[in-house]
Every structure is written in structure tokens, then in C-alpha cells.
């Protein structure tokens, strides 16, 4: 399943979470994003908490 930020996609992810809970199984959500070609992991411009920032944003979308 892909989530593009639209309300229907977010609702689909919420449905999947409810269905996983109903079935008493786990659900894995994967977040992907475009990486700027001019930047590299560890560049100072990304800050020390870049991964945590991306995770927080992703979690906010589906909660």
C-alpha cells in the first residue's frame, strides 16, 4: 500500500491498522521519501535528528 498524503490514502492506512488489530497481528508501515541528489546522509544541513524528524512526521500522518 502506498500513502501519498491524501485523505483516502491515510484512511486506508488507518483501516489496515484496525484490521491488523482485529486479527491480532502486526502491521508494518514503511515510509519513503525522495532524497535530494545534492545531499548525502550526514550532511550538516540535515541536522543531528533527521531520522527522528522523518519518523515523527510519518507517525503523525497515520495516527
Amino acid at each position: 500500500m502506498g500513502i501519498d498524503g491524501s485523505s483516502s490514502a491515510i484512511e486506508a492506512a488507518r483501516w489496515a491498522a484496525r484490521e491488523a488489530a482485529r486479527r491480532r497481528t502486526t502491521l508494518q508501515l514503511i515510509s519513503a521519501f525522495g532524497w535530494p541528489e545534492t545531499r548525502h546522509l550526514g550532511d550538516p544541513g540535515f541536522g543531528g535528528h533527521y531520522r527522528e524528524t522523518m519518523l515523527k512526521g510519518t507517525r503523525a500522518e497515520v495516527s
Side-chain angles (χ1 to χ4, degrees):
M1 168 192 318
I3 300 175
D4 60 6
S6 66
S7 59
S8 60
I10 292 170
E11 185 53 37
R14 290 179 178 149
W15 173 87
R18 289 190 302 271
E19 188 66 14
R22 184 183 73 80
R23 294 177 185 216
R24 295 183 178 161
T25 189
T26 58
L27 173 68
Q28 289 185 324
L29 298 176
I30 299 170
S31 179
F33 58 94
W35 197 266
E37 291 182 21
T38 59
R39 305 300 295 262
H40 303 292
L41 186 60
D43 281 354
F46 284 135
H49 301 287
Y50 187 72
R51 179 179 181 274
E52 289 78 14
T53 301
M54 294 300 294
L55 287 171
K56 182 179 177 182
T58 300
R59 289 177 179 136
E61 287 292 327
V62 294
S63 60

